[in-house]
Amino acid sequence: MSHSRPSDAIVVGGGPAGAACAAALARAGVDVVLIHDERRGGWPGESLPPGSTGVITSIFGPVLDEARGHRITAGIRAAWGSRDLVETDYLRDPSDDAWVLDRARFDDDARAAAASHGARILLGRAQTPERNGSIWQVPLTSGETLTARFIVDATGRSAAVARRLGMRSRRRDQLVALVAIGRTDRAARTGTMVESVENGWWYATVIGERAIVAFLTDADLLPKPDEHGAFWRAALASTQHVRRIATALPDPELHRADTAFGEPAYGPGWVAVGDAAAAWDPLSSQGLLAGILLAAQAAQAFVHGDMREWGEDLRMLVEDTWGLQALYYGEEIRWPDAPFWQRRHAWLT
Ligand SMILES: Cc1cc2nc3c(=O)[nH]c(=O)nc-3n(C[C@H](O)[C@H](O)[C@H](O)COP(=O)(O)OP(=O)(O)OC[C@H]3O[C@@H](n4cnc5c(N)ncnc54)[C@H](O)[C@@H]3O)c2cc1C
């Protein structure tokens, strides 16, 4: 086992929230190591709503650029509450562009921005940390051990570090996503389409010639794993709008998409950021922006030595967002007896 030189802070997880936290810590003069597990790359087709560009640029620099594979999007079309597609036209919003991202590229650029501010990026996978006095020891699967006085869990929905430090996840639902990424050979325009159905909802996002098509439902409403592909294709064929977006799609992969909130999301010498602290329903399209912003704010709170206001801001954002989520699901009343919708309508009572 080898020990690297101690640092002030270790950020575990090199997704957007981890990169934002590492960038903000390094900018404030904190000696920080970001542990990035290369095995997972992001997928194309996640969206940033208008109002994101300033925040992202202030943290990562000018990474939002069509020359970097991202696309400005015209808006969202949704058949929600009725069979008709209704368009929210972002192009009429003069305040800011909305984006469809190439996530792998975005994540690479975010880590590069953190490195440019002085964060050290280390490839590897962290195991359970242990605290010795005020110092954390974080073993890596490589056999190396890192030490620091502050540790950040940015491991995404798994919250792999914070759960071991006593954080409990308050899960609001059991939402999962069956996601397939393929090609669109039509002149489909960049942007996102959403369509609600009896046992969940679909979205399809087009970026360039690629399309990402996902079905969101509750885990217990799915058939056995070996039947996911056939189930998903039959359900896609019965949609009214989304089936028109993509052709030649592989079988879908299952991903967690539940709404959850970590309590407490910080403790002595540690904090959880991004999805590890609060994971949002993909319907909100705010996982990235909220995760990045709150991760940078967590870094500032650490530097000022007081996480309480940060924790309160996180709790208030969760409360507001859970309220909006209930209202939005409440707008779909076509299937009052379907378990998927009944569970969500109960949030309003
Ligand atoms: C179907 C779906 C659609 C979505 N669409 C949108 C959208 O349109 N817009 C939007 O804003 N958000 C969207 N989201 C949410 C968005 O993907 C997340 O909010 C975002 O990825 C969270 O970033 P993060 O950095 O917290 O975690 P992640 O991106 O999950 O990154 C965590 C990183 O930590 C690494 N890691 C885990 N454990 C360890 C370990 N032990 N050691 C080292 N590294 C580790 C992982 O490999 C990963 O690289 C969507 C989510 C889903 C499921």
Side-chain angles (χ1 to χ4, degrees):
M1 186 191 288
S2 68
H3 286 256
S4 300
R5 78 172 160 88
S7 49
D8 296 327
I10 296 170
V11 178
V12 183
C21 195
L25 285 169
R27 248 177 140 156
V30 175
D31 179 18
V32 56
V33 176
L34 174 66
I35 305 173
H36 168 50
D37 177 7
E38 269 193 312
R39 282 180 299 179
R40 206 198 127 203
W43 52 43
E46 288 193 5
S47 314
L48 285 173
S52 309
T53 312
V55 174
I56 302 290
T57 307
S58 70
I59 295 169
F60 297 133
V63 295
L64 290 177
D65 188 334
E66 293 205 302
R68 307 185 87 71
H70 314 306
R71 292 284 171 270
I72 292 172
T73 171
I76 288 188
R77 290 173 292 162
W80 190 274
S82 93
R83 284 169 67 84
D84 302 331
L85 267 184
V86 176
E87 172 144 10
T88 305
D89 185 354
Y90 291 151
L91 296 180
R92 284 171 202 252
D93 180 348
S95 59
D96 191 22
D97 292 323
W99 294 89
V100 178
L101 299 180
D102 180 329
R103 259 297 296 272
R105 183 68 189 264
F106 181 78
D107 288 16
D108 284 348
D109 286 348
R111 283 187 297 273
S116 75
H117 289 302
R120 282 181 284 150
I121 315 282
L122 195 71
L123 297 183
R125 195 161 182 85
Q127 296 175 303
T128 306
E130 278 184 19
R131 201 154 191 236
N132 208 337
S134 61
I135 300 295
W136 291 105
Q137 297 197 323
V138 182
L140 306 184
T141 45
S142 62
E144 191 177 353
T145 296
L146 305 182
T147 53
R149 61 192 176 90
F150 187 58
I151 185 166
V152 179
D153 183 341
T155 61
R157 277 190 158 86
S158 69
V161 173
R163 275 191 300 112
R164 294 196 175 109
L165 304 180
M167 185 181 88
R168 293 181 162 274
S169 265
R170 208 172 106 206
R171 288 176 80 176
R172 194 181 206 190
D173 57 40
Q174 304 293 323
L175 195 70
V176 289
L178 280 173
V179 184
I181 299 164
R183 297 215 157 257
T184 173
D185 61 1
R186 300 162 205 267
R189 66 176 197 180
T190 295
T192 299
M193 179 187 280
V194 174
E195 179 174 353
S196 50
V197 294
E198 184 169 0
N199 50 356
W201 54 276
W202 287 84
Y203 80 81
T205 298
V206 171
I207 177 165
E209 289 177 349
R210 287 173 297 174
I212 170 166
V213 179
F215 178 52
L216 287 291
T217 190
D218 288 332
D220 65 330
L221 302 179
L222 283 177
K224 292 183 295 184
D226 61 348
E227 293 168 11
H228 284 174
F231 165 81
W232 186 87
R233 285 181 197 288
L236 177 60
S238 67
T239 61
Q240 197 189 354
H241 305 287
V242 170
R243 68 187 160 87
R244 297 178 212 276
I245 294 285
T247 56
L249 289 163
D251 270 352
E253 283 180 11
L254 187 67
H255 295 271
R256 280 178 63 180
D258 51 294
T259 298
F261 170 40
E263 287 181 311
Y266 67 92
W270 68 271
V271 66
V273 298
D275 278 9
W280 316 99
D281 192 319
L283 196 57
S284 71
S285 283
Q286 77 157 25
L288 289 169
L289 184 61
I292 288 167
L293 183 59
L294 281 159
Q297 290 173 346
Q300 285 152 12
F302 164 72
V303 170
H304 291 123
D306 188 352
M307 301 299 299
R308 281 172 302 180
E309 198 177 322
W310 178 86
E312 189 51 23
D313 288 349
L314 172 66
R315 196 191 56 73
M316 276 161 40
L317 181 66
V318 168
E319 233 167 62
D320 289 351
T321 309
W322 284 24
L324 288 173
Q325 182 190 25
L327 289 176
Y328 201 56
Y329 278 106
E331 286 175 16
E332 179 51 270
I333 53 170
R334 285 179 288 167
W335 302 282
D337 299 326
F340 181 85
W341 297 100
Q342 276 183 342
R343 290 166 186 172
R344 284 156 180 82
H345 292 166
W347 293 340
L348 284 169
T349 56

